[in-house]
Amino acid sequence: AIEITTPSWKEGKQFRDSRNHLLVLKRAERFEELLATCDKLVGVADGPHDRSMLLHLKATSLYHLDRINEANTLLLQVRKIFAESMPAIGAGRQIPGEHYDWFVIGVSARNDANQVALEKLDAALATNPNDMDLLATRAQLHILWHRWEAATRDFQKLAQHKPLDIKTLEHAAVSAVLAGHVEEYRTRSNELEQLLDKVENSESAWRIARILVLVPNTIGNEDRLLTAVRENAKQRRFWWRHQALVSVLYRSGKYEEASALITPTLAVARARPQRDELVTRLWQSMIQWQLGDQAMAKKTLAMVTTYMDENPKPAGVHIQGSEVTELVVLRREAENLIGKGDDI
């Protein structure tokens, strides 16, 4: 197979002429050659699909050659390329017929790279359990693949070493709530709330609020958080700032004020991914219920859940776990409050 595919990549002018040769080298476990060939093809793989496939194959070769730090860096870079270049992925989706080959090979290359990454990181951490960089990379992999229990364990340890790092505490809380560890979630959330008076980054208030509102009765000082997100929302016309304010108002029982902000928040969300509008709609359904408009609350929730069920988001597609956290957790809360399925 190597003999057959070698001329095609040497003589070919497009990446697809070389693709089979790369795959054969990987299956033959000739990783030195695979790495060298990938480097030669960097300028040829100009489309996002080709770059995603090539860089995943390169990361795989680096992991097998025990160049773990280089591989980790590359894997983080290519993750975004993959997410942006692939069509919708999920149960019931049709593989695009015209280009099914790059679709299947691209997903396979991504899966292989992530699998060998996890194996190598497990082995490296068994030897160096206090290497926080390796632990952070593995924790992110667990988040990506929705391994919430494993992610919680890794991020719990990271949080102990980085008690002032908002992103680390955020991921620790996210993985904990999705793993069902509410006490661990509350611990991390409390640590996040304590950072409100310490951080200087103006972005921090909405980031912290986004986590604290995931579970009812988590916010320690509602007035302080509300003041922070109000100020945050004034600074720029960004969806996440406005949504943070809506959610904190709801948790504070200020349903009328939260309701008044739904329309402008949805207006901002229209220029954003569909997921953002769905998050706002879930909050809207609960606000409508609390204000006594049960019929409209059921209608709003049904619209959101129908869309989510028709557009599933499987593990491995999103860049971060927080991309799906709000939808998963808020849907659960809204359905417990309003009803679901036949109840609606």
Side-chain angles (χ1 to χ4, degrees):
I2 291 175
E3 181 181 345
I4 292 171
T5 58
T6 297
S8 65
W9 86 263
K10 285 187 174 181
E11 300 168 7
K13 296 182 180 180
Q14 295 182 332
F15 178 74
R16 65 182 182 184
D17 299 322
S18 308
R19 188 174 56 197
N20 288 341
H21 185 61
L22 295 174
L23 296 174
V24 171
L25 288 174
K26 182 168 74 76
R27 294 304 179 197
E29 298 184 359
R30 292 167 66 159
F31 297 114
E32 289 280 5
E33 292 177 66
L34 176 60
L35 179 60
T37 307
C38 286
D39 286 337
K40 292 177 182 177
L41 292 171
V42 169
V44 180
D46 53 354
H49 309 113
D50 294 344
R51 289 202 306 274
S52 173
M53 195 181 307
L54 178 68
L55 296 178
H56 273 123
L57 290 169
K58 182 177 179 179
T60 298
S61 64
L62 287 169
Y63 277 118
H64 280 289
L65 295 171
D66 291 324
R67 294 165 60 173
I68 295 180
N69 290 331
E70 293 175 73
N72 288 342
T73 300
L74 186 59
L75 197 62
L76 289 174
Q77 293 173 351
V78 70
R79 191 175 296 169
K80 185 174 182 180
I81 298 174
F82 175 86
E84 294 177 347
S85 66
M86 282 290 162
I89 301 174
R93 294 286 188 177
Q94 183 177 2
I95 293 176
E98 184 179 356
H99 304 292
Y100 74 91
D101 52 347
W102 65 252
F103 178 85
V104 175
I105 295 172
V107 173
S108 176
R110 184 278 310 261
N111 290 354
D112 288 349
N114 279 271
Q115 181 59 41
V116 70
L118 190 58
E119 293 171 359
K120 291 293 183 177
L121 287 166
D122 283 346
L125 284 165
T127 305
N128 303 292
N130 294 319
D131 189 319
M132 293 298 107
D133 290 335
L134 294 180
L135 189 65
T137 302
R138 188 176 71 176
Q140 287 283 1
L141 277 176
H142 288 319
I143 281 267
L144 179 69
W145 292 97
H146 299 185
R147 303 180 185 117
W148 307 122
E149 288 282 354
T152 300
R153 289 193 297 271
D154 282 355
F155 276 116
Q156 183 178 17
K157 186 172 182 178
L158 283 167
Q160 293 170 356
H161 284 77
K162 299 180 178 181
L164 299 180
D165 187 83
I166 290 179
K167 287 187 177 181
T168 297
L169 294 175
E170 177 185 350
H171 289 311
V174 164
S175 55
V177 74
L178 289 173
H181 299 307
V182 178
E183 289 306 314
E184 174 66 18
Y185 158 78
R186 292 192 188 281
T187 298
R188 302 282 84 90
S189 296
N190 179 64
E191 292 169 351
L192 275 169
E193 188 169 1
Q194 298 309 309
L195 292 181
L196 275 175
D197 296 329
K198 299 178 181 179
V199 294
E200 298 179 358
N201 186 352
S202 61
E203 292 288 307
S204 300
W206 74 265
R207 293 186 68 95
I208 292 172
R210 183 180 181 181
I211 302 303
L212 267 59
V213 298
L214 287 176
V215 176
N217 304 316
T218 297
I219 303 171
N221 189 327
E222 292 177 350
D223 291 337
R224 180 178 63 170
L225 184 60
L226 191 54
T227 299
V229 293
R230 280 190 197 279
E231 189 62 31
N232 223 203
K234 292 179 182 178
Q235 295 172 15
R236 296 179 190 173
R237 196 170 180 269
F238 288 149
W239 171 84
W240 47 82
R241 293 172 182 261
H242 290 274
Q243 182 52 62
L245 180 55
V246 169
S247 57
V248 175
L249 285 169
Y250 178 85
R251 292 300 186 211
S252 302
K254 302 179 185 298
Y255 305 126
E256 292 282 359
E257 188 177 353
S259 178
L261 291 175
I262 288 292
T263 297
T265 302
L266 287 172
V268 179
R270 291 192 184 98
R272 302 273 305 163
Q274 180 69 29
R275 170 203 158 278
D276 293 349
E277 180 180 343
L278 296 178
V279 169
T280 299
R281 293 289 187 189
L282 283 170
W283 284 107
Q284 182 184 33
S285 69
M286 293 189 288
I287 292 169
Q288 290 167 337
W289 183 270
Q290 297 290 0
L291 291 175
D293 194 347
Q294 298 182 353
M296 187 57 69
K298 292 179 179 180
K299 183 178 179 180
T300 302
L301 179 58
M303 177 183 65
V304 174
T305 56
T306 298
Y307 182 90
M308 290 178 65
D309 291 340
E310 292 177 352
N311 298 271
K313 301 296 183 184
V317 176
H318 292 289
I319 300 170
Q320 297 180 9
S322 56
E323 293 289 330
V324 296
T325 303
E326 288 163 299
L327 287 178
V328 173
V329 177
L330 292 178
R331 175 177 179 171
R332 187 185 308 159
E333 181 179 354
E335 288 180 335
N336 287 337
L337 178 68
I338 300 169
K340 59 183 178 180
D342 295 336
D343 297 334
I344 294 178

